[in-house]
Amino acid sequence: QVHLVESGGGLVQPGGSLILSCAASGGSFSFNTMGWYRMAPGKERELVAAITRLGNTNYTDSVKGRFTISRDNAKNTVYLQMDSLKPEDTALYYCNANARGPGSSRSNDYWGRGTQVTVSS
């Protein structure tokens, strides 16, 4: 089974920075695209950023130029560097990983429990 554990959330002032980490465990699972989603109060969950195993990235428009996603394939860990944070970035941030089990031709999506990011003065 795959488990995703997020860390790095917290309270930060506008203009500040945070780094989120997500460590995936799962024995011999192969991790494909990994990413970060967020859900703000009263809003739907949205994709923030994603990165393929080869390092190709995509970002939602509102975070382009401010957030950077990266991953360490050897550690099955994905990171989200968040700079120039704004109050509207306040949300519960979830880690997502698409993974395929050993000997399986199918992949599934797995989710972490989320880490809260609050941007406020």
Short mmCIF file of all heavy atoms in Angstrom, two decimals, residues 3-5 21-27 29 31 34 53 71-79:
data_model
loop_
_atom_site.label_atom_id
_atom_site.label_comp_id
_atom_site.label_asym_id
_atom_site.label_seq_id
_atom_site.Cartn_x
_atom_site.Cartn_y
_atom_site.Cartn_z
N HIS A 3 1.53 5.18 1.16
CA HIS A 3 1.21 6.21 2.15
C HIS A 3 1.96 7.48 1.80
O HIS A 3 3.16 7.43 1.47
CB HIS A 3 1.59 5.75 3.55
CG HIS A 3 0.80 4.59 4.03
ND1 HIS A 3 -0.49 4.70 4.51
CD2 HIS A 3 1.11 3.26 4.08
CE1 HIS A 3 -0.94 3.49 4.85
NE2 HIS A 3 0.01 2.61 4.58
N LEU A 4 1.25 8.59 1.86
CA LEU A 4 1.85 9.90 1.59
C LEU A 4 1.79 10.72 2.87
O LEU A 4 0.72 10.87 3.46
CB LEU A 4 1.09 10.62 0.47
CG LEU A 4 0.95 9.88 -0.86
CD1 LEU A 4 0.15 10.71 -1.84
CD2 LEU A 4 2.31 9.53 -1.44
N VAL A 5 2.92 11.27 3.25
CA VAL A 5 2.98 12.07 4.47
C VAL A 5 3.51 13.45 4.13
O VAL A 5 4.65 13.60 3.69
CB VAL A 5 3.88 11.41 5.53
CG1 VAL A 5 3.93 12.28 6.78
CG2 VAL A 5 3.36 10.02 5.87
N SER A 21 6.77 19.38 1.90
CA SER A 21 7.38 18.12 1.49
C SER A 21 6.35 17.02 1.59
O SER A 21 5.46 17.06 2.44
CB SER A 21 8.56 17.77 2.40
OG SER A 21 9.57 18.75 2.34
N CYS A 22 6.48 16.05 0.72
CA CYS A 22 5.60 14.89 0.74
C CYS A 22 6.42 13.65 0.46
O CYS A 22 6.96 13.49 -0.63
CB CYS A 22 4.49 15.03 -0.30
SG CYS A 22 3.47 13.56 -0.49
N ALA A 23 6.51 12.79 1.45
CA ALA A 23 7.27 11.55 1.32
C ALA A 23 6.31 10.41 1.06
O ALA A 23 5.35 10.22 1.82
CB ALA A 23 8.08 11.31 2.58
N ALA A 24 6.57 9.68 0.01
CA ALA A 24 5.71 8.55 -0.36
C ALA A 24 6.40 7.24 -0.01
O ALA A 24 7.57 7.04 -0.33
CB ALA A 24 5.41 8.59 -1.85
N SER A 25 5.69 6.38 0.67
CA SER A 25 6.22 5.05 0.97
C SER A 25 5.32 4.03 0.29
O SER A 25 4.12 4.23 0.14
CB SER A 25 6.23 4.82 2.48
OG SER A 25 4.93 4.88 3.01
N GLY A 26 5.92 2.93 -0.12
CA GLY A 26 5.11 1.95 -0.83
C GLY A 26 5.89 0.80 -1.38
O GLY A 26 5.53 0.25 -2.43
N GLY A 27 6.96 0.47 -0.70
CA GLY A 27 7.72 -0.68 -1.11
C GLY A 27 8.23 -0.55 -2.53
O GLY A 27 8.96 0.38 -2.84
N PHE A 29 6.47 0.08 -5.27
CA PHE A 29 5.60 0.83 -6.18
C PHE A 29 6.42 1.76 -7.04
O PHE A 29 7.45 2.28 -6.61
CB PHE A 29 4.57 1.64 -5.38
CG PHE A 29 3.34 0.88 -5.00
CD1 PHE A 29 3.38 -0.07 -4.01
CD2 PHE A 29 2.14 1.13 -5.63
CE1 PHE A 29 2.24 -0.78 -3.66
CE2 PHE A 29 0.99 0.44 -5.30
CZ PHE A 29 1.04 -0.53 -4.30
N PHE A 31 6.33 5.34 -8.86
CA PHE A 31 5.59 6.58 -8.77
C PHE A 31 5.70 7.37 -10.06
O PHE A 31 6.79 7.68 -10.52
CB PHE A 31 6.09 7.41 -7.58
CG PHE A 31 5.77 6.76 -6.26
CD1 PHE A 31 6.65 5.87 -5.68
CD2 PHE A 31 4.56 7.02 -5.64
CE1 PHE A 31 6.34 5.26 -4.47
CE2 PHE A 31 4.23 6.42 -4.45
CZ PHE A 31 5.12 5.53 -3.86
N MET A 34 3.51 13.18 -9.64
CA MET A 34 3.23 13.58 -8.26
C MET A 34 2.88 15.05 -8.27
O MET A 34 3.36 15.81 -9.12
CB MET A 34 4.43 13.31 -7.36
CG MET A 34 4.85 11.85 -7.32
SD MET A 34 6.27 11.54 -6.25
CE MET A 34 5.49 11.64 -4.62
N ARG A 53 7.72 11.99 -13.58
CA ARG A 53 8.94 11.31 -13.13
C ARG A 53 10.16 11.87 -13.86
O ARG A 53 11.26 11.90 -13.31
CB ARG A 53 8.82 9.81 -13.35
CG ARG A 53 9.97 9.03 -12.77
CD ARG A 53 9.72 7.53 -12.80
NE ARG A 53 10.80 6.80 -12.17
CZ ARG A 53 10.92 6.62 -10.86
NH1 ARG A 53 10.00 7.08 -10.04
NH2 ARG A 53 11.94 5.96 -10.38
N ARG A 71 11.12 17.13 -7.28
CA ARG A 71 11.02 15.80 -6.68
C ARG A 71 12.37 15.13 -6.64
O ARG A 71 13.26 15.43 -7.45
CB ARG A 71 9.99 14.95 -7.44
CG ARG A 71 10.39 14.59 -8.85
CD ARG A 71 9.24 13.90 -9.58
NE ARG A 71 9.09 12.51 -9.19
CZ ARG A 71 8.07 11.73 -9.60
NH1 ARG A 71 7.12 12.24 -10.37
NH2 ARG A 71 8.00 10.46 -9.22
N ASP A 72 12.46 14.21 -5.72
CA ASP A 72 13.65 13.36 -5.58
C ASP A 72 13.16 11.94 -5.80
O ASP A 72 12.54 11.35 -4.91
CB ASP A 72 14.27 13.53 -4.19
CG ASP A 72 15.55 12.75 -4.02
OD1 ASP A 72 15.73 11.72 -4.70
OD2 ASP A 72 16.38 13.17 -3.19
N ASN A 73 13.42 11.40 -6.98
CA ASN A 73 12.91 10.06 -7.30
C ASN A 73 13.51 8.98 -6.42
O ASN A 73 12.84 7.98 -6.11
CB ASN A 73 13.18 9.74 -8.77
CG ASN A 73 12.32 10.57 -9.71
OD1 ASN A 73 11.21 10.97 -9.36
ND2 ASN A 73 12.83 10.82 -10.91
N ALA A 74 14.73 9.16 -6.00
CA ALA A 74 15.38 8.16 -5.14
C ALA A 74 14.69 8.07 -3.79
O ALA A 74 14.68 7.02 -3.15
CB ALA A 74 16.85 8.49 -4.97
N LYS A 75 14.11 9.18 -3.35
CA LYS A 75 13.44 9.22 -2.05
C LYS A 75 11.92 9.20 -2.18
O LYS A 75 11.22 9.25 -1.16
CB LYS A 75 13.86 10.48 -1.30
CG LYS A 75 15.33 10.54 -0.95
CD LYS A 75 15.65 11.84 -0.19
CE LYS A 75 17.12 11.90 0.18
NZ LYS A 75 17.44 13.16 0.91
N ASN A 76 11.42 9.16 -3.42
CA ASN A 76 9.97 9.22 -3.64
C ASN A 76 9.35 10.39 -2.89
O ASN A 76 8.32 10.25 -2.20
CB ASN A 76 9.29 7.91 -3.24
CG ASN A 76 9.64 6.76 -4.15
OD1 ASN A 76 9.89 6.95 -5.34
ND2 ASN A 76 9.71 5.57 -3.58
N THR A 77 9.99 11.52 -3.01
CA THR A 77 9.56 12.72 -2.29
C THR A 77 9.35 13.86 -3.27
O THR A 77 10.15 14.06 -4.19
CB THR A 77 10.61 13.11 -1.23
OG1 THR A 77 10.75 12.05 -0.30
CG2 THR A 77 10.18 14.36 -0.48
N VAL A 78 8.28 14.60 -3.04
CA VAL A 78 7.98 15.76 -3.87
C VAL A 78 7.94 16.99 -2.96
O VAL A 78 7.52 16.91 -1.81
CB VAL A 78 6.66 15.59 -4.64
CG1 VAL A 78 5.48 15.44 -3.70
CG2 VAL A 78 6.42 16.74 -5.61
N TYR A 79 8.42 18.10 -3.49
CA TYR A 79 8.51 19.34 -2.73
C TYR A 79 7.74 20.45 -3.43
O TYR A 79 7.59 20.44 -4.65
CB TYR A 79 9.97 19.78 -2.59
CG TYR A 79 10.88 18.73 -2.02
CD1 TYR A 79 11.60 17.88 -2.86
CD2 TYR A 79 11.03 18.57 -0.65
CE1 TYR A 79 12.44 16.90 -2.36
CE2 TYR A 79 11.88 17.60 -0.13
CZ TYR A 79 12.57 16.76 -1.00
OH TYR A 79 13.39 15.80 -0.48
#
